[in-house]
Amino acid sequence: MKKSTVFRALPLVALCASNLSFAAETNANSYKFSGTLDLGVFRDFDGSNNVGPISRSNVAVSGERDLGNGNKANFKLSVRLDPSTGEPNDPGDTKKPFFHGEATVGLKNDKLGSIKLGRALDVMGNNNWAYDPFYYYDSIASTAWHLWSWNYTTDRTSNTSKATGKPAAEYGRLNNGIFYDSPDLNGFKLHVSGSFEKSPKVEGSGTGSNLGAAVTYNKGPISLMLGNSKNTSGDKDTFLGGKYTIGKLELMGAIDRTSYSGTSVSTNTAKTGGVSYGMGKYRFMASVGQVDDSQSTKMLGVGAQYFIDNQTNVYVSAGHKSFKTLDATKAIGVGINYSF
């Protein structure tokens, strides 16, 4: 009988839990209700006019319990939603789990790091956002949103098409996953994610395991990341990112190389660069990028935010795409984002 993901993770869980103190007087619970709601009015790249989310929205509940001796237990449940309709999950054709954003439970040790089980972003999506001035979150202006992971999905078949009922791809998140983050070692951290349960036997499903690893460095003005991930179908994603901060100015760049494993292997490389600058209650962002697809797709994105307070900002975003033989496309929108 095949071992489940949980049993495969037991050795590391046991290691984290080996010196727990269960004295009642050391136990402390904390809970947090948080989220982000984003809505805007925008003209999309296809020429359509819309009222809806420009960035993603979510509502989450999380909790942490102090177990003593530097150990903590934690959980998180996050629902993605479309505030323009009140529907859970993202707009579009794909049917996703109710707790699409995250559903995890885990342990954290001050010396050993943290491990969690369930559904969450893999090592790429959980770390590479730092190398995009739009945090990999703006569907109009983020070159990362449009050009990274060109040939890569975390799982080709873990979602379902609403229209056809057939399997659909998942971008960024793993089901039945194990996620590990090491302690900080003089600025360096190791991140590992994987899912070792076999994919359901459906059209297009893979037969291997999902495994990814990344090393990040964050110290002083320098931030670096090198990561690699492989899904159950053999598709690969390799990422290199860097950022340098001078006061309120951030300069960043990234190279993302992806390959799709089919009857033949298709490989593409995306290169992006970005800048952001904070000035009082304003923040200005710009990014450029290119991917070496058949159209040599190029993109420019610009945006600005005005922070009403530390939880609320209004913003404008604009994007422009150009192609080798197709007509250029553009999008623009204004929106409001509230975090709590």
Side-chain angles (χ1 to χ4, degrees), residues 277-314:
Y277 181 70
M279 186 173 64
K281 292 187 175 183
Y282 293 91
R283 181 172 179 263
F284 303 94
M285 305 83 72
S287 63
V288 294
Q290 178 178 355
V291 64
D292 59 351
D293 67 324
S294 60
Q295 287 291 328
S296 297
T297 302
K298 298 180 178 67
M299 182 175 172
L300 168 67
V302 295
Q305 296 170 293
Y306 175 74
F307 289 87
I308 301 172
D309 59 23
N310 60 358
Q311 293 179 293
T312 311
N313 73 86
V314 291

Side-chain angles (χ1 to χ4, degrees), residues 10-339:
L10 281 179
L12 183 53
V13 174
L15 182 62
C16 289
S18 60
N19 65 341
L20 298 184
S21 171
F22 293 99
E25 61 270 18
T26 67
N27 292 342
N29 294 320
S30 64
Y31 300 97
K32 183 178 180 181
F33 180 65
S34 61
T36 298
L37 298 177
D38 183 280
L39 274 175
V41 179
F42 61 99
R43 185 173 179 84
D44 213 342
F45 287 98
D46 61 3
S48 62
N49 297 316
N50 303 274
V51 174
I54 294 174
S55 295
R56 297 309 191 209
S57 298
N58 78 290
V59 175
V61 59
S62 57
E64 186 173 80
R65 182 175 179 83
D66 190 339
L67 302 171
N69 292 341
N71 296 282
K72 295 179 180 179
N74 53 69
F75 77 92
K76 184 174 183 179
L77 298 171
S78 176
V79 178
R80 295 276 286 269
L81 72 153
D82 179 357
S84 66
T85 63
E87 292 289 331
N89 300 315
D90 300 330
D93 174 61
T94 306
K95 180 181 179 182
K96 301 177 180 180
F98 181 77
F99 289 114
H100 168 54
E102 183 169 332
T104 58
V105 62
L107 293 171
K108 182 179 181 180
N109 178 274
D110 291 342
K111 296 180 179 179
L112 299 175
S114 64
I115 185 170
K116 58 186 180 181
L117 308 176
R119 174 185 171 87
L121 286 167
D122 70 351
V123 293
M124 306 298 269
N126 201 41
N127 294 283
N128 60 10
W129 59 268
Y131 306 98
D132 172 35
F134 298 93
Y135 305 134
Y136 206 169
Y137 227 54
D138 188 313
S139 63
I140 289 178
S142 170
T143 56
W145 180 284
H146 291 274
L147 304 181
W148 291 359
S149 300
W150 191 264
N151 274 323
Y152 189 78
T153 60
T154 315
D155 192 306
R156 292 187 190 178
T157 59
S158 60
N159 291 320
T160 306
S161 167
K162 298 175 185 175
T164 66
K166 293 184 177 181
E170 168 62 41
Y171 294 86
R173 288 169 173 79
L174 281 178
N175 287 336
N176 309 306
I178 303 173
F179 310 88
Y180 172 74
D181 297 293
S182 77
D184 186 290
L185 182 60
N186 199 28
F188 288 95
K189 293 186 75 172
L190 172 68
H191 314 271
V192 180
S193 66
S195 180
F196 308 104
E197 292 191 358
K198 300 300 182 183
S199 300
K201 297 297 182 181
V202 296
E203 180 183 350
S205 64
T207 58
S209 298
N210 187 303
L211 182 63
V215 175
T216 56
Y217 176 81
N218 291 281
K219 192 171 184 179
I222 300 173
S223 176
L224 300 169
M225 174 185 169
L226 176 63
N228 180 267
S229 188
K230 181 180 179 180
N231 67 17
T232 60
S233 302
D235 307 329
K236 298 178 182 179
D237 188 358
T238 301
F239 182 89
L240 174 64
K243 179 167 64 177
Y244 190 79
T245 303
I246 309 169
K248 294 185 178 181
L249 174 68
E250 293 180 325
L251 304 171
M252 63 202 75
I255 299 174
D256 186 57
R257 183 176 177 85
T258 56
S259 62
Y260 181 91
S261 180
T263 52
S264 62
V265 176
S266 174
T267 301
N268 293 96
T269 301
K271 300 176 182 178
T272 61
V275 58
S276 73
Y277 181 70
M279 186 173 64
K281 292 187 175 183
Y282 293 91
R283 181 172 179 263
F284 303 94
M285 305 83 72
S287 63
V288 294
Q290 178 178 355
V291 64
D292 59 351
D293 67 324
S294 60
Q295 287 291 328
S296 297
T297 302
K298 298 180 178 67
M299 182 175 172
L300 168 67
V302 295
Q305 296 170 293
Y306 175 74
F307 289 87
I308 301 172
D309 59 23
N310 60 358
Q311 293 179 293
T312 311
N313 73 86
V314 291
Y315 62 90
V316 57
S317 296
H320 181 275
K321 292 183 183 180
S322 60
F323 311 93
K324 183 185 296 184
T325 60
L326 302 176
D327 292 336
T329 60
K330 56 187 177 181
I332 188 169
V334 294
I336 182 169
N337 184 286
Y338 176 76
S339 298

